[in-house]
Amino acid sequence: MTAERHPDRFRPSVARLARFAGRTLRGEWHAIVVDPIRQLARRGLSGLLLAFVAAFGVIFFHDIAQHPTGAVWVTRLGGVKADLPLWLSLLRTPVSLYVPALDLPVWAGITQLFLAFALAELTLGRSRTLAIAYATTLAGTLVARLMIAVGPGWSGFGLPAACGHVLDTGPSAAVVGLFTYLSVVRRAPVVFTLTGGSMVWESIAVPNLAGREHLIAVGSAVVLGLLHGRRARLRALARSFLPTRAPGSFPTAPTAPTAPTAPTAPTAPTAPKVSPVLPVTAPAPASAVVAATVPAPASPHPTAARAGGTAMTSLER
């Protein structure tokens, strides 16, 4: 009776776990595989520019390093060691992304490199892909220098000074960082387990410099992935820590004293302005006004005057 009840008790839990696993795998498949393929179909081969550049860069430096003179130049351009000056390590770090590691197979590394840069470029874009790859690689290089500077001890944090002479090259830290960042941003626990979990196991099984740098790359990628899309919150949090002042309480800068002005010379008094006096004319008499307004009688025609004159002359005679 009890043996029959135990399977019935665990069946709902197993069913819920199976549904959760199915939803997780389906969502991760769409986020990691389906969406990048759609972006590739829309953008074409131009969406894989960084992946091709990274793969051909590793192949190019690998072929050059097969010759003694080429190996010397590859080491001078992209060889990073902890015993080098910091400015020289920072100058060689971008090229070290394309220099293959000495203890890893080249073609297997190229496949992982191409896949990591392709998925990241199609999902995140070129600028963010380059930023994440460089940031994780640089974090691994700098923290490894700190571990070597600290020395052995410190609960396993430090490394012996002999690790400073090991050539620290290869795109493995960038590959691990890109896969980890994608798994955090796209909510892909399976990819995170395959990448981050494998690096943890590697650092435990083989405690060397490369394993420590891979762990640092995973940790920095996790932090960057958790901060993704929280720029506004980070700005608000940073402003909350700044001291706030009430409006009007900001001290005003003291003004510089002005130089005394020279006294001005007294001006001469000006004469008062006299308005011009117009002559006053006496009013004209009314008779003149009437005479001016009444028109004069018309003069007789000149021929009539002459005729009248001759007539009077004849009468007078």
Side-chain angles (χ1 to χ4, degrees):
M1 188 69 177
T2 56
E4 295 178 357
R5 290 182 179 177
H6 285 296
D8 296 337
R9 184 184 302 177
F10 290 107
R11 278 178 185 175
S13 302
V14 174
R16 286 195 297 268
L17 182 61
R19 287 194 297 268
F20 174 77
R23 289 194 301 268
T24 304
L25 292 176
R26 184 169 57 253
E28 187 169 347
W29 172 263
H30 282 277
I32 301 298
V33 179
V34 177
D35 291 345
I37 290 177
R38 290 176 179 174
Q39 291 292 331
L40 180 61
R42 185 175 61 87
R43 297 169 57 182
L45 292 179
S46 62
L48 302 177
L49 178 62
L50 291 181
F52 282 115
V53 170
F56 283 120
V58 172
I59 296 173
F60 173 76
F61 282 105
H62 174 70
D63 291 340
I64 291 180
Q66 301 304 315
H67 306 279
T69 306
V72 173
W73 280 105
V74 169
T75 304
R76 290 180 179 179
L77 293 175
V80 178
K81 297 180 181 179
D83 57 354
L84 293 176
L86 180 60
W87 66 269
L88 187 58
S89 296
L90 295 177
L91 190 62
R92 293 180 179 181
T93 299
V95 185
S96 68
L97 292 172
Y98 306 103
V99 177
L102 300 178
D103 55 347
L104 293 178
V106 178
W107 297 107
I110 289 176
T111 304
Q112 296 177 4
L113 177 68
F114 184 86
L115 186 60
F117 272 90
L119 292 176
E121 185 177 1
L122 293 173
T123 305
L124 306 174
R126 292 176 184 173
S127 58
R128 183 167 295 179
T129 299
L130 288 175
I132 297 301
Y134 183 75
T136 51
T137 303
L138 185 62
T141 301
L142 295 180
V143 178
R145 292 175 66 95
L146 179 61
M147 290 180 179
I148 296 173
V150 168
W154 292 77
S155 301
F157 178 77
L159 290 173
C163 294
H165 306 288
V166 178
L167 189 62
D168 178 21
T169 57
S172 56
V175 171
V176 173
L178 288 175
F179 274 124
T180 305
Y181 185 85
L182 280 175
S183 62
V184 174
V185 172
R186 306 295 288 180
R187 304 295 190 270
V190 176
V191 177
F192 180 80
T193 304
L194 294 176
T195 55
S198 62
M199 292 301 103
V200 172
W201 174 253
E202 176 191 356
S203 63
I204 294 175
V206 185
N208 55 4
L209 180 63
R212 298 291 185 90
E213 291 189 355
H214 293 166
L215 278 181
I216 298 165
V218 169
S220 59
V222 169
V223 173
L224 293 175
L226 293 177
L227 295 178
H228 175 72
R230 290 174 171 81
R231 184 180 301 178
R233 294 183 181 179
L234 291 177
R235 288 180 179 177
L237 183 61
R239 290 175 181 175
S240 64
F241 287 107
L242 296 177
T244 57
R245 297 180 180 180
S249 61
F250 294 96
T252 57
T255 57
T258 57
T261 57
T264 57
T267 57
T270 57
K273 295 181 179 180
V274 180
S275 59
V277 180
L278 298 176
V280 179
T281 56
S287 58
V289 174
V290 173
T293 55
V294 176
S299 60
H301 198 269
T303 55
R306 286 196 300 267
T310 53
M312 289 185 64
T313 304
S314 61
L315 289 176
E316 290 177 354
R317 289 177 180 178

